[in-house]
Amino acid sequence: FISLPDGLEALNEEGAVAATPEALTALDADLELGRAPGAPDLAPAPGAGTGRVGIHCLCDAFDMPALAAALEARGAPHVTRRYEEALAGHVVDVRGSGRPTGDAFYFEYGVAVFWGLTREMEDDLVALLASPTVASGPLPPAEVEVDEFEYVYAAPGGRPSIANDTLTLPHRHAADQAIKFAISHALAQSTKLSLYEERAIAIVERTRHVPATLASTGEVALSRKQVARLIGRLFLQRTAVNLRVLDTPSYFWNAPDSLQVLYKRVSEYLELEERIGVLDARFTMVAEMLAIARDSLNGATQEQLEWVVIILIVVEVIIGLFTIWQGTTGHH
């Protein structure tokens, strides 16, 4: 159980604290969609969309301009705001009322977070996101990561919290996209981290036999090329973790402090810091083992070169002695 901050605030386009989350959402929609302030907003009504949060890690990265164009082709509400590393938007139920029924956040590192959508609506968007036109390095089905949470709105006087994979949010923030975006950052990082954890386990399994073989035979059961490829793969995964998960997203540098606290509380529940520590320990262990394997292979190569030099010297001595013997025989 992790309690979430009570005082949640968001910023309007001018940078001032909005009077209410509902007013913020309406103002955001007006400004982003080019409408006059005060026109009927497209945000879900407070209390609507209570239900599931679906998090999908689908590829190494999204082509953000191509993704924005594909979403905008579906209608203006699908993209309501562009951030440095993400897109935010509403999702329209085209088979129902035609009004937005949920929120969607698309993170550049290949993760999408959906709030309040049916599974059919999620599947429709996932098909778009997995398309090679917007996805760079689509993941094979075995590597696709999908997580689910539930969210409800607290009764008046109830405290916001997260427990048992259920988010309890203040009812007055039901239409505030900024609150969901802050939470989605932590959820997206957690799901992306799950992918790196699985890849780290795969590398550990691939190299598990190396220490035992080295101890029993004194040899490494891998080629120099295999070791080099494993070292490269390990470096790529370690770099990706540092860039995608380790740091606080740049969005929170200029966001209200309450949103950063909210992000940190959700990250605490998801144990991001502890999981990153365990993952880094695994990376360090594998890196040390691969370094030993590389040194052993280099040592074996050096030993072979030394034997080649010795053999060449012996051959040269034999040839020299033979030449001297021939010269002595011819003289007599």
Side-chain angles (χ1 to χ4, degrees):
F1 176 92
I2 298 293
S3 63
L4 301 180
D6 288 319
L8 298 175
E9 297 173 336
L11 297 179
N12 62 22
E13 293 292 332
E14 283 69 39
V17 176
T20 65
E22 292 77 11
L24 166 66
T25 306
L27 180 59
D28 280 348
D30 291 340
L31 294 175
E32 294 291 340
L33 301 178
R35 301 182 307 180
D41 68 84
L42 294 175
T50 303
R52 294 174 52 254
V53 182
I55 309 102
H56 301 258
C57 178
L58 302 168
C59 59
D60 289 332
F62 288 130
D63 182 339
M64 298 305 278
L67 176 58
L71 292 171
E72 287 170 345
R74 294 183 165 223
H78 280 275
V79 178
T80 57
R81 178 169 288 183
R82 300 173 188 237
Y83 298 94
E84 183 178 349
E85 299 178 349
L87 295 172
H90 299 304
V91 180
V92 177
D93 182 8
V94 295
R95 301 178 184 176
S97 63
R99 290 181 55 81
T101 59
D103 296 279
F105 305 97
Y106 311 93
F107 296 90
E108 184 270 337
Y109 47 85
V111 180
V113 182
F114 303 118
W115 291 71
L117 305 188
T118 64
R119 295 187 185 275
E120 292 75 13
M121 296 171 72
E122 279 192 21
D123 291 342
D124 179 50
L125 281 169
V126 166
L128 169 67
L129 298 174
S131 168
T133 58
V134 301
S136 175
L139 298 177
E143 284 197 332
V144 171
E145 294 286 341
V146 180
D147 290 329
E148 285 191 9
F149 280 72
E150 300 291 329
Y151 69 97
V152 297
Y153 293 109
R159 296 202 61 184
S161 63
I162 177 171
N164 299 321
D165 291 351
T166 299
L167 290 151
T168 302
L169 304 176
H171 190 281
R172 66 183 183 277
H173 292 292
D176 191 348
Q177 221 179 35
I179 303 302
K180 296 175 182 177
F181 185 52
I183 296 172
S184 296
H185 264 292
L187 297 178
Q189 287 181 319
S190 174
T191 303
K192 192 70 175 183
L193 182 59
S194 297
L195 172 65
Y196 298 138
E197 288 170 336
E198 292 296 328
R199 288 179 173 176
I201 291 174
I203 295 176
V204 170
E205 290 296 327
R206 178 79 182 275
T207 58
R208 181 187 295 274
H209 66 284
V210 173
T213 304
L214 190 61
S216 60
T217 66
E219 298 179 354
V220 177
L222 293 172
S223 66
R224 292 172 60 87
K225 184 176 181 180
Q226 288 175 320
V227 171
R229 291 182 64 181
L230 286 171
I231 291 174
R233 189 179 304 172
L234 186 68
F235 177 78
L236 288 175
Q237 297 307 310
R238 203 166 196 171
T239 302
V241 171
N242 290 334
L243 292 177
R244 304 300 189 191
V245 185
L246 191 58
D247 293 335
T248 300
S250 59
Y251 165 75
F252 296 103
W253 296 351
N254 298 317
D257 291 342
S258 57
L259 290 182
Q260 185 166 351
V261 172
L262 175 63
Y263 161 77
K264 289 187 177 298
R265 294 279 180 85
V266 178
S267 298
E268 180 183 350
Y269 173 80
L270 297 168
E271 298 180 328
L272 288 185
E273 185 175 347
E274 292 82 356
R275 291 165 61 193
I276 290 172
V278 171
L279 188 59
D280 188 63
R282 285 178 177 171
F283 283 150
T284 300
M285 178 193 68
V286 175
E288 292 176 352
M289 184 169 54
L290 290 176
I292 292 173
R294 181 183 58 191
D295 292 343
S296 177
L297 290 171
N298 289 339
T301 302
Q302 183 67 29
E303 184 178 352
Q304 291 174 354
L305 291 175
E306 290 175 356
W307 275 109
V308 169
V309 171
I310 292 172
I311 292 172
L312 289 175
I313 292 173
V314 171
V315 170
E316 185 177 358
V317 170
I318 293 174
I319 292 174
L321 291 175
F322 180 75
T323 303
I324 294 172
W325 177 78
Q326 272 194 327
T328 304
T329 303
H331 179 73
H332 288 293

